[in-house]
Amino acid sequence: MAGHGEWRGYTSDPVMATGLVCLPPKIALGTLLLGTTATPALAAPITLPYMDKINAFIGSLPALDPQNAASFALVMGLVAFSTTTSIVLLRERRRFARRTQKFRAEIANLQAADDRATLLMGSDRQLLISWVARDGEPHFEGDPSIAGDGATTKRALAFGHWLAPADAAAVERALDQLKKRGESFRVTARTLFNTFVEAEGRTFGASAILRLRDVTGDRTELLLARAELVSAKGDLRGMTLLIDSIAHPLWIRDETGRLVWANQAYLRAVEADSMEDAAHRSLELIGEQARGEAQRLRASGKPFHERVKAVVGGRRSVLDVVEYPTGGGSAGIAVDVSELDSVRTDLQRQMDANVRTLDQLPTAVAIFDGSQHLVFSNEAYQRLWNLDAAFLASRPTDGEVLDRLHSARKLPEQADFRAWKSEIHKSYQSVESREIWWHLPDRRSLRVVINPNPQGGVTYLFDDVSERIELESQVNALTSVQSETLNTLKEGVAVFGTDGRLKLHNRAFAELWHLPPDALADHPHIDKIIRACRLLAPQEEPWIDIRGAVAGLADARMGVSCRMDRQDGSSLDCAAQPLPDGATLLTFIDVTASVNVARALTERNDALERASRLRDEFVHHVSYELRSPLTNVIGFAQLLSEETVGPLNDRQRDYADHIMRSSGSLLAILNDILDLASIDTGSLELMPEIVDIRSTIDAAMRGLEDRLAEASIEVRIDAPADIGSFVADGKRIRQILFNLLSNAVGFSAPGQTIHVRARKGGGEVVLEVRDQGRGIPPEIKAKVFERFESHTLGTRHRGVGLGLAIVRSFVELHGGRVELISAPGEGTTVMCTFPMERREAPQDGRSGQNAVPPLAAE
């Protein structure tokens, strides 16, 4: 109530009195976007227009007694209160109606603002993040896919997961300053998806708002172009620095051929201080003719590539110049190849030497390049696979070579050849060497090494180890056989290493010296072995020699052999022999029985030698004692047969001839015995002379003419007319032929033929006598050359068995040999072979002319 009964009321709504801070985020965003502010409702006065009239009516009433007045006053007060209350109620209802209408209008405006804000937010791909309290929880409005397809709202604040690292760090720093200090910002950031996002941050009261908006359209292209420009400038700057650091001259020319840029190497080559200095003085690296050719090719759009001579830094050099046309001119580079020719020559010489070396290797080598083409193969490779040289010269691929070898069945048999070949070709992508084994169908074994080359491709090494594997197998088999053999030997065998310790022994060694197995199991030293063995053989000297052979210096070790007499009465032969690997082999042989037998044999041999000397002396003495009276008998028989003392009748003449023949035969036997005795004593000497072969054969036959005629046996001589002569003892040659012919006549039947054949050749003379008799059985043929071996073989021939013994002895004295070929029913052939020349000088005269056999002479 205020003045004159006027009542005025003021009311205020806290919602209306609240500023933008308490508005919803969308309304705040609409306000932020539209630049408008909602005005709150103000307090309005409330006026009662009938108060004055009521007061005037009350004043016009007559005065009343106090009681009535009080009652009246009470009634009137109640009426006034009711009326006032009604009026106030009506006015409040009108006021609230107006306020409700106003609130509805304001709500409609806010709803419109919210719709406009929603429409505005939906028009762009963006996300609004607000913090009512700067350290409180964030509220999100908008499209969270701006942080990536399928992204959540929480992921939007993880800038490092969807923004470029540098931009993510910048946005995080700006957002931190916005929360702490209220500093607004606007940043354009690049995402990991190569798009751009605009991040804008502002404060409103105690709240902080961050808007993330996808930048699209022309602005995106502008940003992309700007980023590419920055990147291009950086790349250009880096490329310029890189090109300046290159040691080869590089340059750029415009359309007219004028030099517009060059690197530092070019400036040093033309001895210019700067690009301006080179352009001012017109310094060029290549000559005018080369530049003209490059200009001509550039006009036609073709590159210029040529090797030219130029002066680089005051030194004459050879350059490989390449110049390519560009949109606004050309760009070129020059490479100094002055040393390339010498290096290439040295490299070619080295390669030729390597090729010659590889061709001498027994290991097959094949080199394939990165494209799997054959670039080199040595002769061993061609021999190993028997490949055509023309095929290898055509640079076949690795697969073609394997296919050809597979079709020729020269590769290992495979169930899946393609998979096997693919496995082999994996070496082209490997960096490690491989070693595999191939067992070929022809039973060869190859060790294959596949080595990747640093420049690409592989090198195959094929080592034929068939022989080595076979040798290893043989060595293993031999080792096993030798071990078993050593264990079966009765001789004790022990092998000591270079350290003097026992490495190998057989059972006989342990049994011979009574050594227990546990004493030999730890490979004892030779000293320990000697101490154990000296219990049975205490002699000191043999063991000193054995120890020196086993444990002595390597260059002083020598073979040792000795005999030990043990205390048990046995005898051992010991031998120590150094082995090639530095070890020493000891052998112990029990020779007790041999020693006893040798002793008995020595005694028997002495007795036999004494008996032989007695026999020889007896034969020699008897022969001489019989020869003198026999000579007298022969002389007197000749006198009788010649009838010098008177005539003889036929019977007496037959008796005299019989005495002559018998005496002659006995004299021949005595002479043979004397010759054999002379040979045994070594007193018989040959008298070398020039012997005519045909004459000697004829002289030997003349001594048998009577026997040949009596037995009706023909002798055919097969000797070339120009067979000539040779150096020998003529008398002994005639004696040899006489004995052979005499045997042939004795074993031949009447009417048969004896063939005498003589040949020269190869520095030898061969005299051959062949008969057609019964032949000699094998069991007799082995004894026919022994003394006093006589066999009639069913004939009437009788003899003492000295003829062939004399033949063999005389032939061997001449340095020749005798061969006998015979079989029952096929006759007998005896061949005597003499050397044509002898060292002794022949005597004067020729043998064979008018000579008679020894029997005829005597």
Side-chain angles (χ1 to χ4, degrees):
M1 301 293 293
H4 302 286
E6 184 180 7
W7 183 84
R8 184 181 300 266
Y10 295 90
T11 179
S12 64
D13 192 333
V15 177
M16 299 299 295
T18 302
L20 185 61
V21 175
C22 296
L23 292 177
K26 289 185 180 180
I27 304 302
L29 178 60
T31 304
L32 180 64
L33 296 176
L34 299 176
T36 60
T37 304
T39 304
L42 301 177
I46 302 174
T47 305
L48 301 178
Y50 298 105
M51 254 339 212
D52 293 338
K53 293 181 178 181
I54 293 172
N55 292 333
F57 173 72
I58 293 172
S60 64
L61 292 176
L64 298 175
D65 55 6
Q67 185 177 0
N68 291 335
S71 300
F72 180 78
L74 179 60
V75 171
M76 290 306 294
L78 292 172
V79 171
F81 177 76
S82 299
T83 304
T84 302
T85 302
S86 299
I87 294 171
V88 170
L89 179 61
L90 292 174
R91 292 195 62 181
E92 286 297 323
R93 289 182 65 182
R94 288 195 297 269
R95 187 174 65 84
F96 275 107
R98 289 194 301 271
R99 289 181 62 187
T100 299
Q101 184 177 3
K102 183 177 180 181
F103 285 158
R104 288 177 178 173
E106 188 170 351
I107 288 172
N109 291 333
L110 292 175
Q111 186 67 39
D114 182 69
D115 292 340
R116 287 193 300 273
T118 301
L119 179 62
L120 184 60
M121 290 183 63
S123 63
D124 289 332
R125 189 179 175 209
Q126 55 187 329
L127 177 65
L128 180 67
I129 308 172
S130 62
W131 291 266
V132 176
R134 295 180 183 178
D135 295 332
E137 292 294 326
H139 300 278
F140 299 89
E141 294 288 342
D143 185 5
S145 65
I146 194 173
D149 294 338
T152 61
T153 55
K154 295 293 185 181
R155 189 174 185 272
L157 292 178
F159 302 113
H161 287 79
W162 59 283
L163 292 180
D167 295 340
V171 172
E172 288 178 353
R173 287 194 300 270
L175 182 60
D176 186 62
Q177 295 297 322
L178 173 68
K179 291 181 179 181
K180 292 180 178 179
R181 302 180 182 179
E183 296 180 0
S184 301
F185 68 89
R186 175 178 290 180
V187 176
T188 301
R190 181 190 290 268
T191 68
L192 297 177
F193 325 115
N194 204 28
T195 60
F196 292 90
V197 172
E198 183 181 63
E200 181 180 4
R202 291 186 181 182
T203 59
F204 215 96
S207 300
I209 300 176
L210 173 64
R211 184 178 67 166
L212 301 174
R213 186 168 68 90
D214 187 12
V215 179
T216 58
D218 296 339
R219 187 172 180 186
T220 300
E221 295 179 358
L222 178 61
L223 291 174
L224 288 174
R226 182 181 300 172
E228 291 177 357
L229 178 60
V230 172
S231 176
K233 287 182 178 179
D235 293 343
L236 179 60
R237 185 164 52 253
M239 187 63 67
T240 302
L241 294 175
L242 178 63
I243 292 176
D244 274 339
S245 65
I246 294 177
H248 304 297
L250 290 96
W251 63 90
I252 298 176
R253 301 182 185 275
D254 59 12
E255 295 180 352
T256 62
R258 185 175 60 88
L259 187 67
V260 296
W261 181 87
N263 67 345
Q264 294 298 319
Y266 184 96
L267 298 179
R268 289 193 298 271
V270 299
E271 299 180 353
D273 297 333
S274 62
M275 184 63 209
E276 292 75 12
D277 182 30
H280 177 70
R281 293 194 292 164
S282 300
L283 298 176
E284 293 288 348
L285 181 63
I286 59 178
E288 183 177 357
Q289 182 178 359
R291 293 201 308 274
E293 180 66 17
Q295 180 72 19
R296 185 184 66 80
L297 293 175
R298 183 169 61 250
S300 61
K302 297 180 180 179
F304 172 77
H305 188 184
E306 190 173 341
R307 179 167 294 182
V308 300
K309 294 181 179 179
V311 178
V312 178
R315 181 174 60 89
R316 190 173 184 83
S317 304
V318 179
L319 304 177
D320 266 351
V321 179
V322 179
E323 192 169 290
Y324 281 91
T326 61
S330 63
I333 183 174
V335 180
D336 191 349
V337 294
S338 303
E339 300 180 1
L340 182 61
D341 290 338
S342 61
V343 171
R344 182 177 297 170
T345 302
D346 293 341
L347 179 60
Q348 186 62 40
R349 184 163 51 248
Q350 185 67 28
M351 290 178 62
D352 294 340
N354 291 338
V355 168
R356 290 192 299 270
T357 301
L358 291 176
D359 281 336
Q360 299 301 320
L361 292 178
T363 301
V365 180
I367 301 176
F368 292 84
D369 58 13
S371 62
Q372 300 187 11
H373 282 83
L374 180 66
V375 296
F376 172 79
S377 62
N378 64 349
E379 294 181 359
Y381 180 80
Q382 182 178 354
R383 292 194 304 269
L384 175 66
W385 300 116
N386 195 20
L387 294 173
D388 185 27
F391 172 72
L392 296 176
S394 64
R395 300 183 75 246
T397 64
D398 194 358
E400 292 174 349
V401 174
L402 292 178
D403 290 339
R404 172 168 288 201
L405 296 178
H406 176 66
S407 62
R409 298 192 72 252
K410 295 181 179 180
L411 292 179
E413 297 294 342
Q414 302 294 330
D416 189 349
F417 176 72
R418 292 185 178 180
W420 180 80
K421 185 170 69 173
S422 300
E423 183 66 23
I424 294 295
H425 287 167
K426 286 183 180 179
S427 300
Y428 285 91
Q429 288 78 39
S430 175
V431 296
E432 299 292 337
S433 298
R434 294 179 58 193
E435 179 177 336
I436 55 180
W437 291 80
W438 287 1
H439 300 286
L440 306 184
D442 58 0
R443 305 188 67 178
R444 289 184 299 172
S445 296
L446 300 181
R447 172 179 167 268
V448 183
V449 177
I450 308 176
N451 187 29
N453 298 328
Q455 298 82 9
V458 297
T459 297
Y460 289 96
L461 301 177
F462 300 93
D463 187 9
D464 190 349
V465 296
S466 305
E467 183 177 358
R468 187 177 70 186
I469 292 176
E470 183 178 357
L471 290 176
E472 289 179 356
S473 177
Q474 293 177 359
V475 167
N476 294 333
L478 288 175
T479 302
S480 178
V481 170
Q482 288 175 355
S483 299
E484 294 298 328
T485 303
L486 289 178
N487 285 328
T488 57
L489 290 177
K490 295 182 179 180
E491 295 83 0
V493 177
V495 177
F496 292 85
T498 55
D499 56 354
R501 290 188 172 274
L502 181 65
K503 301 299 182 182
L504 176 66
H505 70 282
N506 64 348
R507 287 192 297 267
F509 175 76
E511 294 172 355
L512 196 62
W513 293 104
H514 301 166
L515 299 175
D518 54 348
L520 303 177
D522 58 348
H523 305 288
H525 194 267
I526 181 64
D527 294 336
K528 185 176 180 180
I529 297 292
I530 291 176
R531 285 195 299 270
C533 294
R534 289 189 64 177
L535 298 176
L536 296 176
Q539 298 97 327
E540 184 175 355
E541 184 176 355
W543 293 115
I544 293 176
D545 295 339
I546 291 174
R547 189 189 185 285
V550 172
L553 297 177
D555 54 352
R557 292 188 307 131
M558 298 179 62
V560 174
S561 60
C562 60
R563 174 164 292 179
M564 297 180 180
D565 295 325
R566 303 202 304 180
Q567 292 181 344
D568 58 1
S570 61
S571 298
L572 301 180
D573 275 349
C574 174
Q577 183 63 39
L579 298 178
D581 60 350
T584 303
L585 173 66
L586 287 184
T587 59
F588 296 92
I589 303 175
D590 189 351
V591 295
T592 304
S594 300
V595 169
N596 295 334
V597 172
R599 188 178 297 114
L601 290 176
T602 300
E603 295 174 355
R604 183 177 179 182
N605 185 59
D606 293 340
L608 291 176
E609 287 182 356
R610 288 194 300 270
S612 177
R613 284 196 299 271
L614 290 174
R615 183 198 65 190
D616 293 340
E617 291 175 0
F618 174 76
V619 170
H620 194 267
H621 180 71
V622 170
S623 298
Y624 275 103
E625 290 297 330
L626 291 177
R627 188 172 185 179
S628 297
L630 186 58
T631 304
N632 294 333
V633 172
I634 293 173
F636 289 122
Q638 286 180 347
L639 290 175
L640 291 175
S641 61
E642 292 175 358
E643 299 181 357
T644 56
V645 295
L648 299 176
N649 56 28
D650 294 337
R651 178 173 292 184
Q652 292 174 342
R653 191 175 294 106
D654 291 338
Y655 291 160
D657 293 338
H658 182 70
I659 293 172
M660 285 285 295
R661 287 194 297 272
S662 298
S663 300
S665 298
L666 182 58
L667 181 61
I669 293 172
L670 290 176
N671 288 334
D672 289 343
I673 293 174
L674 289 175
D675 289 338
L676 289 174
S678 300
I679 293 173
D680 291 338
T681 59
S683 61
L684 180 65
E685 295 182 1
L686 299 179
M687 306 298 291
E689 59 181 341
I690 299 176
V691 179
D692 185 274
I693 297 174
R694 183 58 184 261
S695 299
T696 302
I697 296 173
D698 294 337
M701 287 182 58
R702 282 196 293 272
L704 296 171
E705 289 177 350
D706 294 341
R707 292 182 61 188
L708 292 173
E710 180 181 353
S712 300
I713 295 175
E714 180 184 359
V715 177
R716 293 181 182 179
I717 300 175
D718 180 11
D722 58 348
I723 191 170
S725 61
F726 72 107
V727 177
D729 188 332
K731 177 182 177 182
R732 302 306 177 185
I733 296 299
R734 290 192 300 275
Q735 192 172 350
I736 290 170
L737 290 173
F738 179 83
N739 287 345
L740 293 178
L741 289 170
S742 178
N743 275 352
V745 171
F747 289 99
S748 297
Q752 292 183 341
T753 303
I754 297 174
H755 296 271
V756 180
R757 185 172 178 269
R759 290 290 186 272
K760 291 175 66 175
E764 294 179 336
V765 176
V766 180
L767 300 178
E768 178 183 310
V769 177
R770 177 166 57 88
D771 61 46
Q772 298 175 342
R774 299 186 179 185
I776 304 174
E779 65 273 10
I780 298 177
K781 184 168 62 175
K783 301 178 181 180
V784 294
F785 288 104
E786 296 181 6
R787 298 177 184 179
F788 303 105
E789 286 290 336
S790 178
H791 301 276
T792 61
L793 300 178
T795 64
R796 298 175 62 185
H797 177 72
R798 297 293 184 269
V800 295
L802 295 178
L804 291 179
I806 290 293
V807 169
R808 183 176 66 177
S809 299
F810 286 164
V811 172
E812 291 177 352
L813 282 175
H814 282 82
R817 62 186 183 275
V818 180
E819 297 180 37
L820 186 142
I821 303 173
S822 180
E826 296 182 2
T828 301
T829 302
V830 180
M831 290 183 295
C832 300
T833 304
F834 302 89
M836 291 182 61
E837 299 292 339
R838 291 181 56 84
R839 295 183 179 179
E840 296 84 2
Q843 295 179 350
D844 294 337
R846 300 182 65 84
S847 174
Q849 299 292 338
N850 300 323
V852 295
L855 295 181
E858 299 179 1

